[in-house]
Amino acid sequence: MYYNSSANETNMVYGNVRQAFNDFVFLAQDNFQKREKNMAESDKIAAKDSIEFVKELAKNPTAYFSRAATENSWNLRVKEYAKMHKIPEQEIGTVYLLAQGPKEIVLAKAGKAFYGNHSLFSMFYGFCKVVQNWEYFRTSDAKDATFHKNNALNEIAIVTKRLATMVELQKTNPIIRPFKQMFQKEK
């Protein structure tokens, strides 16, 4: 198989991915603290468990997104889905869109961390999608893999920067925060 990423680039990108997931942890905890008093006990437990999962994800994103760690089990889920729904072998490529991939598994475990905050969950979903795309295109031998890998790299950089800004804003003194928000919107 052809690998079109250097080890240094891969380590750097996974470092950024880890930081982004750590930022998601901070934002999820902040979201939880704001909503906790209005949550049912079962939702509180689910949110706490999901936040703990995102912490684990931040420590080791390769375990959840790398081709080496996820491809075999994904292929197995695709084959089982195709068999269960009687999808012919020649159409199995479309099943990859239907069977749970790495990002869907992560979302199922992490989704409750963003209780009541659809925009943060949506951002998390998009980030998981782009990390999966980067990882699979980075390790692909397809002709257009480099193009798609680079697009994913750009998106990772954009989201990572946006998350860092969001975290910085949340850590700002509440009295100063509106002025900082106004300044950031002007950029």
Side-chain angles (χ1 to χ4, degrees):
M1 183 175 287
Y2 172 70
Y3 293 95
N4 53 9
S5 286
S6 71
N8 287 339
E9 178 186 82
T10 302
N11 290 336
M12 182 191 74
V13 173
Y14 267 121
N16 290 338
V17 167
R18 279 190 290 280
Q19 182 56 52
F21 283 128
N22 279 317
D23 289 344
F24 275 116
V25 168
F26 176 85
L27 294 168
Q29 288 172 327
D30 184 63
N31 179 65
F32 178 76
Q33 288 172 352
K34 291 175 182 173
R35 298 176 190 276
E36 181 178 16
K37 64 182 176 217
N38 297 322
M39 293 171 71
E41 194 60 35
S42 60
D43 289 333
K44 288 178 190 178
I45 293 168
K48 288 177 184 178
D49 289 346
S50 289
I51 290 170
E52 288 303 312
F53 173 76
V54 179
K55 287 180 184 177
E56 179 59 35
L57 179 63
K59 290 178 190 170
N60 190 10
T62 57
Y64 300 95
F65 289 104
S66 74
R67 184 185 291 267
T70 62
E71 184 176 41
N72 289 338
S73 56
W74 193 7
N75 287 337
L76 183 60
R77 286 190 302 276
V78 165
K79 288 177 185 173
E80 288 173 3
Y81 187 95
K83 183 178 178 182
M84 184 186 319
H85 293 88
K86 297 180 173 95
I87 298 173
E89 185 72 29
Q90 63 271 22
E91 295 178 25
I92 204 153
T94 59
V95 178
Y96 282 89
L97 301 171
L98 304 171
Q100 274 193 326
K103 75 178 178 302
E104 288 83 13
I105 290 174
V106 166
L107 291 169
K109 294 178 180 179
K112 297 291 184 183
F114 309 103
Y115 179 91
N117 191 331
H118 181 71
S119 63
L120 189 56
F121 174 77
S122 181
M123 191 175 185
F124 183 79
Y125 169 82
F127 189 69
C128 289
K129 180 179 177 180
V130 77
V131 170
Q132 177 181 300
N133 287 346
W134 168 74
E135 173 61 36
Y136 272 76
F137 284 120
R138 174 184 78 80
T139 57
S140 174
D141 57 0
K143 291 180 183 178
D144 61 350
T146 300
F147 172 78
H148 291 296
K149 177 197 79 157
N150 289 337
N151 283 344
L153 274 174
N154 290 334
E155 189 65 26
I156 288 170
I158 290 167
V159 174
T160 301
K161 184 177 178 181
R162 183 172 176 215
L163 284 167
T165 301
M166 291 169 69
V167 167
E168 179 188 342
L169 192 60
Q170 284 306 110
K171 289 181 176 180
T172 302
N173 182 319
I175 296 169
I176 299 171
R177 192 176 298 153
F179 299 107
K180 205 168 192 176
Q181 281 177 313
M182 198 166 52
F183 175 73
Q184 286 177 347
K185 287 180 183 177
E186 291 176 7
K187 284 186 181 180

